[in-house]
Structure formats: C-alpha cells, structure tokens
Amino acid sequence: MKSAIPTIQRLSRTTANATTRFRPAGSPTPRPSTRRTFATTPRRTKSKDDNKDENTHLPPGEFFSVVDEPGTIVRAGYRRSTAGLLFLAIIPVTAFILGTWQVQRLKWKTDLIARLEDRLVRDPLPLPPRIDPSAVPEFDYRRVVATGRFRHDREMLIGPRMRDGEQGYMVVTPLERPDGASTILVNRGWISKKMGDQRARSPDALPRGMVTVEGLLREPWKKNMFTPDNKPEKGEFYFPDVREMAAWSGSEPVWIEVTMEPEYLRFLDLQAQGIPIGRPAEVNLRNNHAQYIFTWYGLAAATSVMLWMVAKRPVSASEAARRVRMNKQW
C-alpha cells in the first residue's frame, strides 16, 4: 500500500503537466462550456408526398422552418392604370347621358298620355264609311261608334290570353257595315277557354241582327320577336296582326276595341254565358321612365365617387415600386 500511493501521485502530476503543456502561461483555466453550437438545417428538395406535414420526413429532433423556404420578390407598391381610369370615367358619363335621355322620354310619355286621355273624354265619333289606314295613328284611343252585322262565320280567336288567372281568348269578329261601307275588325273582348266553341255560348253571345258597337279606335299592334307567327289556314292566331287578319277575313285593316264599365258582378254573368268582356275605357300605356331616371342617375353618382376614390390614391415616387420578400407557403 505504501508503494502504491507515490505511484498514483506521480500519475496525477503527469496528467496535470500534460494538460497545461499546451496552454499559454498565465491563461486562466478553461471551464466546461454549456453553450449550444448554432447549426442551420440543410435545405432539402420537396417531393410530391410533402403535402400533409412539412416535418414528416425529417430526422428526430430536427425541424424545417418557413424561413428556409426560397423567397419570391414581388412588387408592393401601387401603380395607377390609365386604361382603367379611362374605362371607369366612361361609366358615369354614359349613365348621366342615359339618365338625361330618360328625362326627355318621361316628358314625351307624359304628354302622350295626357293627349290620349283627352281623346277619351270626347263624345264618340261616328265612323266614316271609308277610312284611310294611314290616318288611324292620329286618332289612336279615339272613341268611335259603328253599326253593322257581325260575321260570326269569320270569327278569330287570339290566344292564349290570361284574365284574373284564367286562360282564354280574345274574340275578333268582322263587322259588316251597310250602305256599301267597309268591313272592319272588332275586338269584342275576352272569353274563357271553355267557351271557345260557339256552340257552348248562349244566344246573346252571338247577336245576328244589326248591332251598334262603341269602342276605341286603335292603331295596329307591333309584334315582338318572341311571338310565333299566326296560322290562319288552321284557325290559330297568337298575335293581333291587323293587316294579316283583315286580308284573311276580307276586311279593312281598321281595329276597334269594345269598351265596358268595370263591374265585377256583371263580368261574372257575361263570363258564364260566353259573352265577350270588353276592356275599360282607359289609357294603358306603361310609364316607367321615372324609375329609369333614378337608376341611371344613381349609377352615375356611385361610379363618380368610385372614380374620385381611385384617382386620389397616391402613386409611388419612383417607377420601381417597393419590393418585399414573400414566402408562398405563408
């Protein structure tokens, strides 16, 4: 035991000398370091399977940060488009022009309705024996009186036509006037679909003697592109084409609409007998120009505000806008 102790002491001194052999003289004795060395995670190429989790295939204890993604340089400044400003400026100008045009249309329609309503209050005008069809528009909505016999064998049903939710037809019958006067077309009114056959109507619905008709002289109707063509050879009429119907029935292209006072109980009785129900003596022209004026002027005001907000936005000082680094995966 005594010989072993000096040997251990010599080994200790030898180890201490070996430790201090490579340390400069006077330098402090180093202490064990507890700082963690910084190391970056190497970038890897993403595969098609890396859609669910970015850190799925990394070794344990490591992670893949979004800062390791390759960045993309994008423009962050605002650049004003001249073409866009011009297009946006056209909208309020066009809307204002259309609104002004609707103001003129409103005045024209108001004057027209007032002129037609003035004709309604005048006494009925006896229809002359011969009528110039080109002069009919000047007497549109004029109350007239005509006498003659109905040609029920040339009756024409125009339909379908709806009234109070029920389907039916307009009954147009030529009126053959005496003393060599021309035959004219008379729109007697509406009947239900089940009364389309003359045999289903009462005798009062088919007067045989001389009758006096009072109604409104109307100019020929205008057909739209969605209405099918009439088929006179089959007795099918979908639109009151006055000239076509006059040529088919041997009449003059003059159209009269029978008028009646709106009495609900009387209409029920006429409908049950199959007697045509005439129209009320009133002007039924649509006048929605005031709504159009509000719509166009409102659009002009709204787009003007939008143009002002876009025009007042500041533009970047230099042509090269400020750039930022953006990650596509953020």
Side-chain angles (χ1 to χ4, degrees):
M1 293 296 295
K2 292 182 180 182
S3 60
I5 294 175
T7 303
I8 296 173
Q9 293 176 351
R10 286 196 301 272
L11 290 173
S12 301
R13 287 195 298 270
T14 303
T15 305
N17 292 335
T19 305
T20 59
R21 183 181 302 171
F22 302 98
R23 187 173 69 249
S27 61
T29 303
R31 296 181 180 180
S33 176
T34 58
R35 293 180 59 185
R36 182 179 177 181
T37 305
F38 176 80
T40 59
T41 304
R43 294 180 178 177
R44 61 185 180 85
T45 304
K46 297 178 63 177
S47 62
K48 297 181 179 179
D49 299 332
D50 295 343
N51 295 328
K52 294 184 178 180
D53 191 358
E54 296 289 346
N55 302 318
T56 303
H57 303 286
L58 293 178
E62 296 186 5
F63 66 95
F64 192 79
S65 175
V66 292
V67 298
D68 295 324
E69 286 284 351
T72 302
I73 303 302
V74 298
R75 291 185 179 273
Y78 168 73
R79 299 181 62 183
R80 182 176 298 154
S81 174
T82 304
L85 286 177
L86 290 177
F87 177 76
L88 191 59
I90 292 174
I91 298 178
V93 174
T94 305
F96 182 81
I97 294 175
L98 292 175
T100 305
W101 176 65
Q102 288 297 329
V103 172
Q104 300 175 358
R105 292 280 295 176
L106 176 62
K107 183 178 183 304
W108 168 80
K109 184 61 71 66
T110 304
D111 294 341
L112 176 61
I113 294 176
R115 184 168 62 253
L116 297 179
E117 289 180 345
D118 178 67
R119 296 175 184 175
L120 291 177
V121 299
R122 298 182 182 181
D123 295 334
L125 178 69
L127 205 62
R130 295 292 174 179
I131 304 171
D132 182 8
S134 62
V136 171
E138 300 178 6
F139 295 88
D140 193 22
Y141 280 93
R142 185 69 168 87
R143 296 174 61 190
V144 294
V145 176
T147 303
R149 289 183 175 89
F150 281 125
R151 293 295 304 270
H152 298 292
D153 56 329
R154 298 181 183 178
E155 180 182 85
M156 293 163 282
L157 301 179
I158 303 176
R161 290 292 187 273
M162 302 297 295
R163 184 179 184 276
D164 297 336
E166 186 174 354
Q167 190 173 355
Y169 304 98
M170 283 196 313
V171 181
V172 180
T173 309
L175 181 67
E176 193 175 59
R177 297 186 293 167
D179 301 331
S182 62
T183 302
I184 61 175
L185 298 176
V186 177
N187 177 14
R188 300 179 60 197
W190 179 89
I191 61 173
S192 60
K193 185 178 181 180
K194 61 183 179 181
M195 294 295 178
D197 190 352
Q198 294 184 359
R199 294 171 296 182
R201 309 175 201 171
S202 67
D204 295 337
L206 303 169
R208 300 297 177 181
M210 296 292 293
V211 295
T212 300
V213 177
E214 180 178 342
L216 303 179
L217 183 64
R218 295 297 316 277
E219 62 177 335
W221 294 42
K222 296 180 181 180
K223 179 182 176 182
N224 56 42
M225 58 182 300
F226 302 103
T227 305
D229 296 331
N230 296 331
K231 300 178 181 179
E233 65 279 0
K234 297 182 180 180
E236 298 178 359
F237 296 90
Y238 306 99
F239 180 80
D241 191 335
V242 177
R243 292 179 176 85
E244 181 184 31
M245 298 172 69
W248 182 81
S249 61
S251 306
E252 193 175 7
V254 177
W255 179 275
I256 294 179
E257 296 181 353
V258 176
T259 58
M260 291 184 179
E261 293 295 331
E263 299 178 7
Y264 181 72
L265 296 179
R266 184 189 177 192
F267 285 173
L268 292 179
D269 182 54
L270 296 178
Q271 181 176 348
Q273 299 183 50
I275 301 176
I277 301 175
R279 55 160 295 173
E282 61 185 16
V283 179
N284 54 1
L285 297 180
R286 298 178 58 184
N287 188 7
N288 297 329
H289 298 288
Q291 301 178 11
Y292 299 150
I293 291 173
F294 176 80
T295 300
W296 287 121
Y297 278 157
L299 180 62
T303 51
S304 298
V305 173
M306 293 175 58
L307 178 63
W308 176 76
M309 294 178 63
V310 172
K312 78 168 187 176
R313 292 182 62 181
V315 184
S316 300
S318 62
E319 188 66 23
R322 182 169 55 92
R323 298 166 181 259
V324 297
R325 186 173 185 274
M326 181 188 71
N327 191 306
K328 295 183 178 180
Q329 302 297 330
W330 288 1

